[in-house]
Amino acid sequence: MNFDVVVIGGGPGGYIAAIRSSQLGLKTACIDATKRNGVYSLGGTCLNVGCIPSKALLQSSENYAQLHHDFAQHGITCSDIKLDLNKMQERKDISRRRRARYLV
């Protein structure tokens, strides 16, 4: 196969460069060696294991902390608060998959 542009790396800069090249009418390939669960996955570290998953977990953690420390001043009180780490991990994975589907 012949390409006008070959982008090496499907991270945050790479996949955007590939998308833009394609939008400009260039025959474009994006090559990335990243695998997640045995499947090739564009998006690099940021999407797959770094920024996006970390931010999803951070938001869940911040919500939990607010419930414990900040809501009472607004007249919101709760008892028997539980943290479901499996559910937090599931939400993180769903968030990553939502973003990843735009890269295919």
Side-chain angles (χ1 to χ4, degrees):
M1 295 191 119
N2 293 321
F3 295 95
D4 299 315
V5 175
V6 176
V7 178
I8 299 173
Y15 75 81
I16 290 173
I19 289 169
R20 187 64 183 139
S21 296
S22 179
Q23 288 172 337
L24 293 171
L26 300 169
K27 188 171 179 183
T28 305
C30 185
I31 301 168
D32 195 313
T34 302
K35 279 189 175 183
R36 180 166 177 82
N37 299 325
V39 178
Y40 287 104
S41 179
L42 292 176
T45 298
C46 183
L47 176 65
N48 291 293
V49 294
C51 308
I52 302 301
S54 296
K55 287 178 182 176
L57 288 173
L58 181 60
Q59 182 182 21
S60 296
S61 300
E62 287 173 345
N63 289 340
Y64 183 77
Q66 281 186 321
L67 183 58
H68 268 284
H69 305 293
D70 300 333
F71 285 3
Q73 68 187 11
H74 295 278
I76 302 168
T77 57
C78 298
S79 60
D80 196 31
I81 300 166
K82 294 185 170 109
L83 181 78
D84 185 341
L85 191 54
N86 288 332
K87 189 72 170 175
M88 288 173 67
Q89 292 285 352
E90 181 181 307
R91 180 183 170 277
K92 170 203 53 129
D93 291 338
I94 289 169
S95 176
R96 187 199 62 77
R97 283 193 303 268
R98 277 189 197 132
R99 285 164 178 78
R101 74 175 178 229
Y102 296 109
L103 303 181
V104 178

